[in-house]
Amino acid sequence: MYIIGQEEIDAMARVVNSKALFRYGLGHECERFEQRYAAYLGAKHFSLAASGSYALTAAMIGLGLGPGDEVLVPAHTYMASATSVLAAGAIPVIVDINESITIDPAAIEASIGPHTRAIIAVHMWGTTCDLDAIMDIARRRKLFVIEDACQAVGGSYKGRKLGTIGDIGAFSFNFYKNMSAGEGGGVVTSDDAVVKRVNCAIDPCHAFWTGRDEDSKPFAGNGARASEFMGAVLNVQLDRIDGIIEAMRRERDTILAGIQDLKSLGLRAAPLNSREFDCATNVFLTLPTTEAADVFVKTFPSVIAGKTGRHTYTEWDQVLMGMGAAHPLMNPYNMPANAECRKNYSKDMCARSLEILDRTILVPTHPLHTKQEIEDIIHNIKAATRVALGHVKSGEVDVRQAAAVDATKYDLKVVAW
Ligand SMILES: Cc1ncc(COP(=O)(O)O)c(C=O)c1O
């Protein structure tokens, strides 16, 4: 969440004053947001849910994935990408990422087995996956693509909105996301049959609230209905998102231009799959070694992608321990239908990903950064690179305690993860 204020307060006050706190039959904020966001994405349907985690589960259910199916999941993502597969009864198969820190198309191709039915393309940290390559593999190998765009609200891939290029997309609107109501999420699809299953997964009573139709085949979904407060806040946030993304793209491009000469010292900008259109919530830098990355972040406090504590498969305890559900009989790892699926995980199974992640640095951008703050960031990256790559000792460089990375200045979190 980057900006929140009086407009959100006014929107929530309107909901309170109307006393229409329930989305069906009373309030209109959720429905209005669903229609506006679907139009913004250029898709037919958007279904709000209580969280991005549940949106992902509803997406799996919407596509009919379940026991007997394997879903390819990148080694670097928040654990909900993998646990949502288990919540649908299917098995996540963990696949390497590449230096773009998104799923590696070559590793996807190498990981497809007889039971693979889908790929989760996670657009991490506001960047995008290599969707051309992923869609090509998916079409050739008859796999579904689920876009996890939870960290990439407002972003596009080569001009098309993220979430709408694969078969289905999921978003999160939690506190750390580009557009936020504190919590929230949702599913985008243009498929009329899939959206019915998604809506039933989000609210088993959906058909009662909105009217039964002859073709609906209800099942026991979980409850993850959105609140009118969420809808009201998101309606305000949606008006701002494009300006926020544009400001961050400008900042990212200014920083990349300002540090170009560091290539000769060994610092590289990580590859971007759709630079012109992604969210630019971070500048990604690739150091030659993990040791250099450690020194870099000690000199200029920033984030090592592999060391956030929750975005790497080695931290997904439930998956590594085979605890796919609360009850052993509902645990996909124990289900006879999954007997032939691949479910042997180990902490070193994607060593290549770990090595890349441990030398990839994220420097967060922010839509309210001033020109001076952006200059400070450039200065600090230069200083930290010279220390990290041994060109000077740490005491010899002036690392400004940049206001640019001071989240408290705005009373906001700067990093969107
Ligand atoms: C890539 C990714 N997928 C899914 C989620 C789950 O979203 P939520 O926290 O809204 O459940 C997150 C949230 O951090 C995420 O970053």
Side-chain angles (χ1 to χ4, degrees):
M1 188 270 296
Y2 291 104
I3 300 167
I4 192 160
Q6 193 58 46
E7 286 167 275
E8 282 84 353
I9 294 171
D10 292 345
M12 284 195 286
R14 281 195 296 275
V15 173
V16 174
N17 289 331
S18 72
K19 299 197 169 47
L21 268 58
F22 190 69
R23 65 164 296 175
Y24 296 116
L26 290 173
H28 301 287
E29 294 287 351
C30 289
E31 195 178 339
R32 193 163 84 85
F33 178 74
E34 288 178 338
Q35 286 169 0
R36 292 179 67 214
Y37 197 52
Y40 173 83
L41 295 173
K44 210 161 164 192
H45 308 287
F46 183 76
S47 303
L48 258 179
S51 69
S53 302
Y54 200 75
L56 276 167
T57 300
M60 306 290 155
I61 294 171
L63 293 178
L65 295 166
D69 300 332
E70 290 174 351
V71 179
L72 306 185
V73 181
H76 181 60
T77 177
Y78 181 66
M79 70 163 71
S81 313
T83 56
S84 65
V85 176
L86 292 163
I91 299 293
V93 170
I94 303 172
V95 173
D96 265 316
I97 51 115
N98 59 27
E99 281 200 350
S100 73
I101 63 168
T102 63
I103 195 163
D104 180 5
I108 292 178
E109 193 97 54
S111 304
I112 297 170
H115 302 284
T116 309
R117 294 262 326 271
I119 305 160
I120 306 189
V122 186
H123 305 301
M124 279 303 279
W125 307 104
T127 187
T128 77
C129 297
D130 182 352
L131 280 174
D132 282 344
I134 293 170
M135 294 310 292
D136 175 58
I137 297 169
R139 296 299 170 243
R140 277 193 287 108
R141 308 295 294 264
K142 301 199 172 14
L143 304 174
F144 288 121
V145 173
I146 298 123
E147 283 183 75
D148 179 342
C150 289
Q151 297 197 3
V153 177
S156 301
Y157 176 80
K158 300 186 179 173
R160 290 171 69 193
K161 282 278 184 294
L162 296 176
T164 65
I165 297 161
D167 296 279
I168 200 161
F171 294 90
S172 167
F173 304 120
N174 84 20
F175 176 71
Y176 297 101
K177 303 304 188 259
N178 299 344
M179 194 161 84
S180 178
E183 296 288 358
V187 181
V188 62
T189 175
S190 288
D191 187 310
D192 295 339
V194 169
V195 75
K196 283 185 192 169
R197 291 176 59 81
V198 166
N199 288 338
C200 186
I202 291 172
D203 183 349
C205 214
H206 186 265
F208 169 79
W209 301 119
T210 60
R212 289 188 173 84
D213 69 49
E214 283 171 13
D215 325 322
S216 73
K217 296 191 183 68
F219 50 85
N222 265 319
R225 200 169 41 232
S227 99
E228 279 293 281
F229 289 118
M230 184 187 288
V233 172
L234 290 174
N235 272 315
V236 178
Q237 296 258 313
L238 182 56
D239 292 334
R240 289 202 198 102
I241 187 72
D242 282 343
I244 286 175
I245 300 286
E246 274 161 31
M248 293 194 295
R249 279 190 200 136
R250 273 197 304 276
E251 173 175 351
R252 188 265 321 268
D253 289 345
T254 307
I255 292 173
L256 287 180
I259 60 169
Q260 254 183 355
D261 53 337
L262 298 179
K263 259 189 220 151
S264 59
L265 300 188
L267 182 85
R268 284 184 299 119
L272 299 172
N273 291 312
S274 185
R275 173 168 171 175
E276 203 183 328
F277 296 101
D278 70 14
C279 303
T281 43
N282 294 276
V283 180
F284 302 100
L285 304 172
T286 313
L287 273 295
T289 63
T290 57
E291 292 75 19
D294 285 337
V295 176
F296 185 103
V297 297
K298 275 192 198 122
T299 312
F300 172 33
S302 40
V303 180
I304 296 180
K307 296 189 177 163
T308 66
R310 65 191 184 286
H311 292 102
T312 307
Y313 72 96
T314 49
E315 287 136 5
W316 307 342
D317 294 343
Q318 298 89 320
V319 176
L320 297 184
M321 290 158 64
M323 297 296 286
H327 194 287
L329 294 182
M330 295 183 70
N331 183 350
Y333 291 115
N334 300 335
M335 288 177 184
N338 287 326
E340 289 177 14
C341 294
R342 291 162 294 171
K343 39 194 179 300
N344 292 326
Y345 309 108
S346 67
K347 287 212 171 184
D348 58 1
M349 63 187 293
C350 290
R352 195 180 126 226
S353 301
L354 300 181
E355 193 272 330
I356 291 170
L357 291 166
D358 282 351
R359 58 186 176 77
T360 302
I361 307 274
L362 314 177
V363 178
T365 56
H366 193 289
L368 300 180
H369 278 164
T370 62
K371 201 161 171 275
Q372 180 60 53
E373 287 167 334
I374 295 169
E375 274 169 23
D376 285 348
I377 292 177
I378 293 171
H379 174 93
N380 285 351
I381 293 174
K382 287 184 172 175
T385 302
R386 285 165 59 221
V387 177
L389 298 179
H391 294 274
V392 289
K393 294 197 184 69
S394 60
E396 291 168 354
V397 298
D398 144 45
V399 174
R400 295 175 200 161
Q401 289 308 307
V405 288
D406 182 1
T408 56
K409 178 169 176 195
Y410 303 115
D411 203 19
L412 296 173
K413 292 266 179 190
V414 173
V415 187
W417 73 74

